[in-house]
Amino acid sequence: MMKSLCTAFGLFMAASTATAFAPAPSSSLQTSLRMAEEQPEMTPLSTEEDAAAPAPVETLPAMSQSMPFMARPAALDGTLAGDVGFDPLGFAKSELDLMNFREAEVKHARLAMLAAAGWPVSELLDKKIASAFGMSPILDNTDRVPSLLNGGLGKISPLYWVGTIGLAAAIDIIGTMRSKNASDDYLPGDF
């Protein structure tokens, strides 16, 4: 029962989110007609005078776009994707703080994605993997994985937890060292 629900839910989610990556519908006929009717303006090539002139600097609004009644935080200068000045509690006091929070956000998002995929996959593949290695499956009678909610964590070896936490700590230490020693082109979450 749980396997079929997980499979059905996974298929539903895959089908419903697939449209997010589909190109927006457009009428190429109308576009081509408009392009044929309008004559593009020909601009002359830039000269040395144009190249020497500084590019106009966009000024950010003084108030946050996300919360118009609050002042825009100083650390949010519009350089990051999706930056609309949302920091209502003022956590990011400097650019370094902002980059640390961005690094943490990327790590937590990746962990959440792994957990969301790992839970149903472990229920579906546990018996097959256990039989391939000649081990007994750890699913309970209702084909649920051991967890705090389902119980059964006593079936898992403490060595597994030590190894998992050690591996996660090593990856985190490597990522932290890389971010601290990185050059200017380092992006948070870039491992």
Side-chain angles (χ1 to χ4, degrees), residues 50-61:
D50 294 337
V57 178
E58 291 186 33
T59 58
L60 294 172

Side-chain angles (χ1 to χ4, degrees), residues 7 13 30 35-36 54 76 78 101 103 119 135 141 167 179 184:
T7 305
M13 291 305 292
Q30 291 177 353
M35 289 175 59
L76 299 175
F101 288 134
E103 181 89 30
W119 190 299
M135 302 169 71
N141 297 342
L167 179 64
S179 70
D184 292 337

Side-chain angles (χ1 to χ4, degrees), residues 123-170:
E123 288 183 347
L124 293 172
L125 300 178
D126 180 63
K127 290 182 181 177
K128 294 175 185 173
I129 293 173
S131 65
F133 288 107
M135 302 169 71
S136 61
I138 58 170
L139 297 178
D140 64 5
N141 297 342
T142 59
D143 287 341
R144 296 182 307 173
V145 296
S147 71
L148 290 175
L149 300 174
N150 299 339
L153 283 177
K155 295 179 183 178
I156 309 298
S157 169
L159 292 175
Y160 169 79
W161 295 117
V162 169
T164 301
I165 292 171
L167 179 64

Side-chain angles (χ1 to χ4, degrees), residues 2 9 25 40 93 98 102 107 126 130 133 143 159 172 186 189:
M2 186 65 177
F9 180 72
K93 304 271 189 250
L98 184 63
R102 184 176 177 192
K107 287 179 183 179
D126 180 63
F133 288 107
D143 287 341
L159 292 175
D172 193 42
Y186 174 77

Side-chain angles (χ1 to χ4, degrees), residues 18-134:
T19 58
F21 301 104
S26 66
S27 174
S28 61
L29 178 61
Q30 291 177 353
T31 304
S32 63
L33 287 176
R34 258 189 281 132
M35 289 175 59
E37 292 171 4
E38 297 174 6
Q39 294 297 324
E41 291 184 25
M42 300 298 286
T43 57
L45 295 175
S46 62
T47 62
E48 289 181 21
E49 295 171 3
D50 294 337
V57 178
E58 291 186 33
T59 58
L60 294 172
M63 302 303 280
S64 170
Q65 293 173 329
S66 62
M67 302 182 86
F69 54 88
M70 294 184 72
R72 182 179 193 86
L76 299 175
D77 58 1
T79 57
L80 299 176
D83 181 3
V84 290
F86 184 77
D87 188 13
L89 300 179
F91 287 129
K93 304 271 189 250
S94 66
E95 186 177 349
L96 181 63
D97 287 344
L98 184 63
M99 290 300 123
N100 286 336
F101 288 134
R102 184 176 177 192
E103 181 89 30
E105 182 180 12
V106 170
K107 287 179 183 179
H108 288 114
R110 289 176 179 167
L111 184 61
M113 288 185 280
L114 285 173
W119 190 299
V121 168
S122 66
E123 288 183 347
L124 293 172
L125 300 178
D126 180 63
K127 290 182 181 177
K128 294 175 185 173
I129 293 173
S131 65
F133 288 107

